[in-house]
Amino acid sequence: MGVIAATYVLFLIVLILADLSYTSPSEILTALKSEEIQYSIKLSLISCTITMILSLIVAIPLGYFMARYDFPFKKWIDAILDIPIILPPLVIGLSLLILFNQTVLKDFFDFFGVSVSFTVASVIIAQFTVACAFAIRTMYVTFAQINNRQEQVALTLGCNQRQTFFYVLLPQAKNGILTAGALAWARALGEFGPLLVFSGSTRMHTEVLSVSVYLEITTGKIEAAVAVSLIMIVSGFSVLLLVRLFGYNKTIL
Amino acid sequence: MIECKDIHINQGNFSLSNFHFKAKNGAYVVIMGKTGCGKTTVLEAICGLRKIASGEVWLNDNEISKWTPAEREIGYVPQDGALFNTMTVAQNIGFALKIRKWEANKIEERVNELADTFGIKYLLERQAQDLSGGEKQRIALARALSFYPDVLCLDEPLSALDEDTKEGMFELLTELKNNMKITVLHVTHSKIEAQKLADVVLFVSDGKIKELNPSEL
């Protein structure tokens, strides 16, 4: 069993080393200096951070509700929440495209003179659609793992539901929140399929790092694509490592 | 005085009917019965943590059946103590007082008083999650008493403790019974606990309740 586990870990390491062997520090530097990549990094940082915040705003109350309450059709809702996780990314992109262009939502945004598809807003919406599902799942498991006995005691000690949530439950869910946020951020960073369909792949407009990799490949600049890929690997890995170093404690990630 | 009048509780396949008892102020009532007979359910219903299908709960001159747990002001110590792990011992004990917006110096005074009573002063700055079972129970007890409740509900407070620790808690509960004017409802399946502590024993069996004298056990 140990051999299988070690082989898999080794496989992942070799996968990254293969990328490293294909590029050089100078190529990475060149990629970093490129105006397009700098824009892409900036947009990725902004969109991923907004996605993370939005995901937590939704995931914390929804995860709590799912973990603490029983209601009709709960299993149905539970399954619906996982749809963005299991659906092919392109299908999510297509669904978003239809929702924002072929339904009443289009009229709604048109009324305000706002366009969503193929804009920076669409990048955030596409990232959020998938990343939030991971954050919700994480918060659901986090709250479900916390014994509700402490909340009950807090109620007898004089708390109302709101005070119990903020003073007793939320501090205990700290690691879960950190994990959910990191997972949403990292997931948003790696999102590509929905972006391609819903946001397009326009240079210096809806170009995030994953789109940059695609654009570099389609223009035959494989070395540049690998360099951008490495930037993504380092960013994503750093976030995951930070969570483990400073907040990780027997949670889900 | 706490009184339950014909309480019915339905919970899944479990149901408890015609639960009726009255405990005078300062009485030490032990609720006994086999595992799964509904002892804890009764305690939770009295604290307001579980809905009752019908019946009434009275505390002194008030019908409190529809009151929230906070409004009832009943102290509650569950089996595992359920300390707030992210807080220190002092913060745990002072929690109810902070919620009641007591001044910081008054909270500190009360926390120190309880810490002296329960012999836990040396633990005040420790994190709650790092403590032994016996220490946790003492702190949970101090926390439940911090806001001077008229009634204290204890759910198998000794069951998870080793013999030595159990003996110490016995002494503490005896002191509580003798020196504090508080009505205690103590759930247990131990005859020894009932014989040593109870003024009245309520025996729950097959969804019904029978009042016994401790000497009848």
Side-chain angles (χ1 to χ4, degrees):
Chain A
M1 215 158 106
V3 175
I4 297 170
T7 307
Y8 181 67
V9 174
L10 196 67
F11 170 69
L12 293 178
I13 293 169
V14 169
L15 202 65
I16 296 164
L17 288 176
D19 282 348
L20 271 172
S21 70
Y22 201 82
T23 187
S24 64
S26 64
E27 275 166 342
I28 295 173
L29 270 177
T30 310
L32 280 172
K33 280 179 187 165
S34 128
E35 197 185 350
E36 290 88 354
I37 301 303
Q38 282 183 5
Y39 176 88
S40 169
I41 291 173
K42 200 167 83 178
L43 182 59
S44 291
L45 286 176
I46 293 169
S47 64
C48 290
T49 305
I50 294 173
T51 294
M52 179 189 75
I53 293 166
L54 292 176
S55 297
L56 286 179
I57 289 171
V58 173
I60 292 172
L62 194 51
Y64 171 75
F65 187 72
M66 292 297 292
R68 285 290 184 264
Y69 295 96
D70 281 322
F71 50 89
F73 302 111
K74 182 176 176 176
K75 287 193 172 135
W76 287 70
I77 303 286
D78 196 8
I80 288 170
L81 289 173
D82 276 348
I83 284 178
I85 295 175
I86 54 104
L87 225 53
L90 285 175
V91 175
I92 293 174
L94 187 64
S95 305
L96 286 169
L97 199 62
I98 293 168
L99 178 68
F100 281 90
N101 288 286
Q102 301 295 325
T103 66
V104 70
L105 263 186
K106 180 181 173 9
D107 301 332
F108 176 78
F109 284 110
D110 281 350
F111 180 78
F112 292 103
V114 177
S115 178
V116 176
S117 305
F118 307 107
T119 64
V120 170
S122 72
V123 172
I124 295 166
I125 292 170
Q127 289 177 338
F128 169 78
T129 306
V130 179
C132 188
F134 286 89
I136 291 169
R137 186 56 48 196
T138 308
M139 290 315 304
Y140 184 176
V141 175
T142 299
F143 287 128
Q145 282 177 342
I146 298 173
N147 189 341
N148 75 342
R149 195 54 92 183
Q150 294 179 19
E151 291 158 66
Q152 291 188 324
V153 169
L155 291 173
T156 66
L157 290 172
C159 285
N160 55 34
Q161 291 284 356
R162 187 183 56 80
Q163 289 169 321
T164 302
F165 181 78
F166 284 104
Y167 296 157
V168 176
L169 189 61
L170 221 46
Q172 288 186 81
K174 188 184 74 184
N175 287 336
I177 295 169
L178 205 59
T179 306
L183 196 54
W185 196 93
R187 187 61 240 178
L189 184 74
E191 212 50 68
F192 174 65
L195 295 176
L196 190 66
V197 181
F198 186 46
S199 313
S201 52
T202 315
R203 274 243 123 110
M204 304 277 286
H205 180 51
T206 55
E207 185 182 359
V208 285
L209 283 169
S210 58
V211 174
S212 295
V213 174
Y214 170 72
L215 289 172
E216 298 297 351
I217 290 174
T218 51
T219 52
K221 295 177 191 166
I222 305 296
E223 291 81 4
V226 173
V228 178
S229 302
L230 283 172
I231 294 168
M232 289 181 72
I233 291 170
V234 170
S235 313
F237 182 72
S238 304
V239 170
L240 299 178
L241 190 64
L242 275 174
V243 171
R244 278 156 176 81
L245 290 176
F246 297 107
Y248 179 70
N249 181 23
K250 286 188 276 184
T251 45
I252 314 90
L253 192 66
Chain B
M1 185 270 297
I2 184 143
E3 185 176 8
C4 291
K5 291 182 181 175
D6 296 324
I7 284 182
H8 292 252
I9 302 168
N10 298 317
Q11 183 198 335
N13 295 328
F14 169 82
S15 87
L16 192 75
S17 56
N18 296 318
F19 189 91
H20 194 107
F21 84 93
K22 188 175 181 176
K24 289 179 194 163
N25 283 339
Y28 200 110
V29 180
V30 170
I31 303 172
M32 289 188 72
K34 288 178 187 166
T35 304
C37 72
K39 308 183 294 285
T40 296
T41 306
V42 168
L43 216 56
E44 287 174 350
I46 290 168
C47 292
L49 298 171
R50 191 173 293 281
K51 277 187 182 168
I52 55 175
S54 63
E56 292 173 357
V57 182
W58 284 76
L59 178 62
N60 299 326
D61 295 325
N62 299 306
E63 209 253 278
I64 61 167
S65 314
K66 293 196 166 52
W67 289 16
T68 64
E71 288 167 337
R72 295 181 190 211
E73 300 217 320
I74 292 174
Y76 174 56
V77 180
Q79 194 174 346
D80 59 356
L83 296 184
F84 306 137
N85 290 331
T86 55
M87 300 181 195
T88 64
V89 170
Q91 286 168 334
N92 263 276
I93 300 173
F95 182 80
L97 310 178
K98 198 175 170 190
I99 291 295
R100 285 167 174 75
K101 295 189 165 63
W102 279 32
E103 287 171 19
N105 61 331
K106 296 277 180 196
I107 294 176
E108 196 182 339
E109 206 174 287
R110 178 69 176 145
V111 167
N112 283 326
E113 182 194 345
L114 285 161
D116 279 337
T117 307
F118 289 93
I120 49 176
K121 200 147 192 178
Y122 67 103
L123 297 172
L124 285 180
E125 295 313 314
R126 293 261 297 274
Q127 282 298 123
Q129 62 184 356
D130 303 331
L131 306 171
S132 70
E135 289 169 339
K136 282 182 179 173
Q137 280 297 1
R138 281 168 181 264
I139 294 154
L141 202 53
R143 182 180 62 180
L145 291 169
S146 64
F147 57 97
Y148 301 103
D150 288 334
V151 177
L152 177 66
C153 291
L154 307 173
D155 188 4
E156 307 210 28
L158 310 178
S159 65
L161 306 180
D162 60 56
E163 286 307 314
D164 288 345
T165 318
K166 201 178 274 190
E167 199 50 47
M169 275 297 283
F170 247 129
E171 286 171 19
L172 209 57
L173 292 175
T174 310
E175 204 178 301
L176 187 80
K177 178 186 170 181
N178 295 335
N179 301 333
M180 294 186 193
K181 288 177 182 173
I182 187 168
T183 309
V184 180
L185 305 178
H186 175 144
V187 160
T188 182
H189 55 262
S190 159
K191 279 185 186 175
I192 298 167
E193 284 176 37
Q195 283 165 340
K196 280 191 178 178
L197 294 164
D199 296 320
V200 179
V201 175
L202 303 173
F203 198 85
V204 184
S205 177
D206 299 326
K208 306 276 182 201
I209 191 159
K210 199 163 88 177
E211 191 168 322
L212 301 172
N213 192 298
S215 60
E216 293 176 63
L217 290 169

